[in-house]
Amino acid sequence: MELSSLQKARYQYVPKLPEMLRSGIADICVNEGEETKSAADCEKIKALFPNTYGKKEIVFQKGQNTSQSKKQVVGVILSGGQAPGGHNVICGLYDALKSTNPENVLYGFKNGPIGLIEDDYLIFDDDYINQYRNTGGFDIIGSGRTKLETKEQFEIAGKVCKKHGITAIVIIGGDDSNTNAAVLAEYFAANNTGVQVIGCPKTIDGDLKNEDIECSFGFDTATKTYSELIGNIGRDANSAKKYWHFVKVMGRSASHVALECALQTQPNICLISEEVAYKKMSLSQIADYIADSVEKRSANGMDFGVAIIPEGVVEFVPEFSVLIKEINELLAGSKADEFNKLSTWNEKYAFIEKGLTKESMDVFAILPMGIQQQLFLERDPHGNVQVSLIESEKLFSALVSDKLALRKEAGTYKGKFNPIHHFLGYEGRCAFPSNFDADYCYSLGYNAFMLIQYGYNGYLSKISNLSKPADKWIAGGMPITKMMNIERRHGEDKPVIKKALVELDSKPFKYFKERRDKWATETLYIYPGAIQYYGPSEVCDITTKTLKIEQE
Ligand code: FBP
């Protein structure tokens, strides 16, 4: 396989560990903190997790090692969407495991949790692992979105572990995967299997964070990659002075990615879905908000701009989510066939008009035809509209265009509006991890092994103090049940890790809010440039602005 120069150089990069982990297991001991309680619904969570609830938070520190000396056979799984640094979690885990005892073994279950159920695995060795050090992607073993949640799956998982003598499973995933890790940990404990389960916090979306987890890995690299591109687009806009760029960024429901990119690049507009929901903004109000910036900038001779649109925003527009619900009803069961048999769009439109309430029809009617048709084409396996596939960047530019046409008629707007659309998502999920993510991930993996070695079960590998240099980072573990509450999912009460949305009273959002009106009318773009892997620490080791502002 031919390698790029950067890939060769990155093989040599030595990730930075927190000072307390550097000497290896021989000089690490545990400091146990208080017993923990779940984030909410304590009694219910306790009843569901009788064996793993209420355990103590722990922090590692330098001292006499008192861990078990048994041979460890560990299985690792990558779960869900790719996030830069996943390979390094596995490298850190492998290095800690082998340096503790060369007889220890690391299994990699392939293509996500399904690999454990199907007993599809590889066994890591130095030659194999060395090809993946400090690289992006999840191709080291593959990932997948199958969930480990049923009793039958747990029973099979138990049998597979027994067959290989596996002592612990490490699940690298987001909120849902780590929720399932906690359920699996409880199952293993209740059945006295002796198998431990440790989670590692992954997702570019940045929505697995709370008072214990400062950020999920991959968020740093992905947002830096998108911000580089948005900065480049801003500079092009400011050079050509003739286009408005509408840039949708990934992030599923939460707007952490959009907010971080805005903090890094200072675009003219950045929508924050959580604010849209809080203010109950309609599509028309959002379009007016953007059109105001277009009009003001145009009056100052700037017929160009940059607007960031978070991936999930339409779901947060109250009238739009009602429309989606009605469309799902309209096409439920056999009605979908009836609809699909209609041959022309006019016939279909009449069917839709008959089936929707007047309020939803009013919303539907203002959508561009392309988006209207998209709502009826893309369905998920449950027959629901796939909101994430809606091209909201095109939706908003079309709505803004309509608003500007009216303003032209009214004589308040005289400019030219030429929109260009972008969707940034997959471009960032497998980038070479930034030094921050390379170090953070390696530390998470290394630390996961320490938790295993000390016998912990149902814990999330926790590295904190992240806005400080890596040697000052603090390594430890948090019982996953501490992050849980009960939520209604698919008509049932379920224990889940609370998904973190952007808080409107958080420091990063307030920082953005105080400055955005100026950004909307002036041209104050910042050009972050590409991620730097080599050079001065103040360029190469910087964290996200979100983390910096949060911890200032
Ligand atoms: P995870 O939540 O699994 O980390 O995935 C995040 C994400 O990248 C979202 O930002 C995006 O909406 C989704 O995955 C897309 O996933 P897929 O390519 O599987 O549709």
Side-chain angles (χ1 to χ4, degrees):
M1 189 173 57
E2 207 168 323
L3 300 177
S4 70
S5 310
L6 183 63
Q7 184 156 344
K8 282 188 220 153
R10 290 310 277 168
Y11 284 163
Q12 308 308 321
Y13 178 76
V14 181
K16 298 185 273 299
L17 276 173
E19 177 66 34
M20 65 185 68
L21 295 182
R22 284 187 192 167
S23 47
I25 191 80
D27 288 316
I28 295 175
C29 70
V30 171
N31 189 358
E32 286 199 333
E34 299 289 306
E35 286 182 355
T36 55
K37 285 200 282 196
S38 59
D41 309 302
C42 299
E43 289 311 312
K44 284 185 184 163
I45 305 280
K46 191 175 176 184
L48 290 165
F49 295 88
N51 296 283
T52 48
Y53 185 84
K55 301 281 179 206
K56 293 173 177 165
E57 171 177 14
I58 70 115
V59 171
F60 289 114
Q61 61 186 39
K62 285 201 166 209
Q64 180 62 45
N65 167 36
T66 55
S67 73
Q68 310 167 2
S69 59
K70 70 174 182 184
K71 176 184 168 189
Q72 301 285 3
V73 181
V74 177
V76 65
I77 297 169
L78 288 164
S79 181
Q82 283 68 252
H87 288 168
N88 266 26
V89 179
I90 297 180
C91 294
L93 177 63
Y94 178 84
D95 289 351
L97 167 145
K98 287 290 182 190
S99 64
T100 301
N101 178 357
E103 300 294 306
N104 288 343
V105 184
L106 182 61
Y107 282 69
F109 288 100
K110 294 187 190 170
N111 305 320
I114 192 81
L116 179 60
I117 303 305
E118 294 181 344
D119 197 13
D120 187 9
Y121 64 89
L122 56 80
I123 295 178
F124 290 100
D125 60 20
D126 287 355
D127 285 347
Y128 188 74
I129 209 125
N130 287 343
Q131 298 170 50
Y132 291 94
R133 290 186 186 274
N134 307 302
T135 56
F138 276 7
D139 44 321
I140 188 168
I141 45 174
S143 185
R145 291 198 183 276
T146 319
K147 293 187 193 313
L148 281 185
E149 54 188 354
T150 66
K151 188 150 177 277
E152 293 70 43
Q153 288 175 323
F154 293 162
E155 278 166 11
I156 298 171
K159 283 184 193 146
V160 171
C161 289
K162 197 163 176 197
K163 176 179 161 198
H164 299 294
I166 285 179
T167 51
I169 294 284
V170 175
I171 297 181
I172 303 171
D175 52 338
D176 278 347
S177 307
N178 278 299
T179 294
N180 295 331
V183 182
L184 184 63
E186 177 64 29
Y187 173 86
F188 281 155
N191 290 281
N192 294 317
T193 59
V195 182
Q196 299 158 236
V197 182
I198 300 295
C200 287
K202 171 233 73 166
T203 177
I204 63 156
D205 297 350
D207 57 6
L208 173 45
K209 71 171 183 179
N210 46 50
E211 57 178 20
D212 298 310
I213 301 302
E214 293 176 10
C215 74
S216 53
F217 79 75
F219 179 71
D220 185 271
T221 311
T223 52
K224 281 179 179 147
T225 306
Y226 304 144
S227 299
E228 179 208 347
L229 298 173
I230 295 168
N232 295 350
I233 287 169
R235 196 144 215 174
D236 196 293
N238 195 18
S239 306
K241 304 201 189 295
K242 59 179 178 182
Y243 297 121
W244 258 88
H245 294 269
F246 284 72
V247 189
K248 180 168 87 169
V249 291
M250 254 190 190
R252 209 185 288 278
S253 307
S255 303
H256 299 289
V257 172
L259 178 58
E260 171 63 22
C261 292
L263 295 173
Q264 286 200 38
T265 61
Q266 301 190 172
N268 305 105
I269 296 288
C270 176
L271 301 180
I272 300 295
S273 307
E274 292 82 346
E275 187 184 25
V276 165
Y278 176 75
K279 291 185 171 169
K280 298 191 171 50
M281 287 175 86
S282 64
L283 290 175
S284 170
Q285 284 169 325
I286 298 172
D288 266 324
Y289 169 65
I290 303 174
D292 287 348
S293 166
V294 176
E295 187 184 319
K296 281 186 195 139
R297 290 176 61 75
S298 181
N300 291 325
M302 294 180 284
D303 277 320
F304 65 92
V306 177
I308 300 179
I309 315 288
E311 184 178 20
V313 67
V314 286
E315 281 180 89
F316 287 74
V317 178
E319 60 185 9
F320 202 89
S321 59
V322 173
L323 169 68
I324 299 290
K325 274 196 202 114
E326 287 191 19
I327 292 177
N328 287 337
E329 283 291 313
L330 189 62
L331 297 189
S334 61
K335 285 184 276 176
D337 295 337
E338 200 186 317
F339 177 81
N340 288 331
K341 279 191 194 130
L342 302 171
S343 48
T344 66
W345 177 241
N346 278 350
E347 286 170 327
K348 289 183 176 177
Y349 199 92
F351 177 98
I352 296 164
E353 211 163 14
K354 224 164 55 185
L356 295 183
T357 58
K358 182 180 173 314
E359 290 73 23
S360 286
M361 196 56 213
D362 288 347
V363 177
F364 187 74
I366 61 163
L367 302 177
M369 201 209 278
I371 304 278
Q372 288 178 336
Q373 292 179 336
Q374 237 169 42
L375 290 175
F376 285 84
L377 283 178
E378 312 283 2
R379 334 280 306 153
D380 74 7
H382 309 285
N384 296 325
V385 174
Q386 292 201 57
V387 184
S388 66
L389 296 181
I390 294 169
E391 293 173 302
S392 43
E393 67 283 22
K394 292 190 182 156
L395 167 64
F396 286 113
S397 80
L399 296 178
V400 169
S401 192
D402 291 347
K403 294 281 178 194
L404 293 172
L406 293 175
R407 294 178 188 205
K408 240 185 195 159
E409 273 172 32
T412 54
Y413 170 69
K414 299 187 174 56
K416 284 194 185 127
F417 178 65
N418 294 315
I420 292 191
H421 307 106
H422 313 262
F423 172 38
L424 301 180
Y426 299 99
E427 294 80 351
R429 297 203 314 182
C430 284
F432 277 98
S434 60
N435 285 356
F436 173 84
D437 268 332
D439 300 344
Y440 180 40
C441 290
Y442 189 84
S443 303
L444 282 171
Y446 201 97
N447 184 58
F449 183 72
M450 296 302 143
L451 291 166
I452 293 168
Q453 189 67 14
Y454 269 95
Y456 291 99
N457 180 31
Y459 275 65
L460 204 59
S461 177
K462 171 177 168 179
I463 303 287
S464 51
N465 212 23
L466 294 173
S467 65
K468 300 285 179 312
D471 57 345
K472 302 254 173 351
W473 290 354
I474 298 166
M478 185 57 72
I480 303 176
T481 50
K482 171 156 189 274
M483 300 164 202
M484 291 181 134
N485 66 357
I486 299 282
E487 286 178 23
R488 203 89 189 135
R489 298 270 172 100
H490 306 293
E492 279 179 65
D493 279 351
K494 290 260 182 200
V496 291
I497 297 178
K498 203 163 184 276
K499 199 183 267 303
L501 298 178
V502 169
E503 304 276 352
L504 301 186
D505 60 356
S506 66
K507 284 195 199 170
F509 179 76
K510 282 187 184 155
Y511 180 99
F512 162 73
K513 195 174 161 196
E514 277 159 21
R515 290 159 179 81
R516 67 178 165 191
D517 290 347
K518 216 166 151 54
W519 299 353
T521 47
E522 298 175 32
T523 300
L524 297 169
Y525 306 146
I526 293 179
Y527 311 118
I531 295 174
Q532 300 296 306
Y533 300 93
Y534 301 98
S537 182
E538 64 271 23
V539 180
C540 299
D541 296 327
I542 37 174
T543 58
T544 56
K545 294 242 174 185
T546 303
L547 205 53
K548 185 167 175 279
I549 296 169
E550 276 170 352
Q551 297 192 1
E552 256 166 11

